[in-house]
Amino acid sequence: MVGMKKTSKRKLKSLSWYKIRAWKVFSKWIRARDKNICFTCGGLGNQAGHFIPRSISNYLYFSEDNVHAQCLRCNVFLSGNSDEYAERLGNDIVMRLRIDKRKVKQWTVQELIKLKEKYENNASIFTSHGSFIQTES
């Protein structure tokens, strides 16, 4: 096959690849916003935990009202410590989240890229206070 150019095969990145990268930045932002204090018990909030679990609502996956810093104990071993979580959120937010969880959302690559950029750009809010350390994803 003389004269034919070899085309390079670029590996296309999947939607989940973009979602993971957006989640990493969003999670860091949430923990910095909450000053690494567990929303439900006041301990070290080294995780970002959902009130309405990710498995139930893709629509609320990146909701700032639905995600807060949580410790490993509350987030994993107490399955989100939902009773305390609900009490701290307050009835208005809980009711809105419970309504919103019924909404269907299919994230696009473009939306996930914009989300990642938004929270990377908002990270500068926390750097001046020393609460957020920007690291490569």
Side-chain angles (χ1 to χ4, degrees), residues 14-76:
S14 67
L15 185 67
S16 63
W17 186 89
Y18 288 98
K19 195 171 187 180
I20 289 167
R21 270 124 195 100
W23 171 253
K24 285 181 180 181
V25 172
F26 180 71
S27 173
K28 286 178 187 177
W29 186 88
I30 289 291
R31 289 177 279 141
R33 176 198 67 185
D34 295 347
K35 298 181 174 93
N36 292 314
I37 297 170
C38 180
F39 185 70
T40 48
C41 79
L44 175 63
N46 56 0
Q47 298 193 351
H50 291 79
F51 175 64
I52 304 292
R54 296 182 301 188
S55 61
I56 292 176
S57 177
N58 203 31
Y59 180 80
L60 295 172
Y61 199 100
F62 295 103
S63 166
E64 292 178 21
D65 285 339
N66 189 51
V67 184
H68 292 83
Q70 283 194 302
C71 65
L72 178 67
R73 179 180 167 270
C74 288
N75 192 32
V76 176

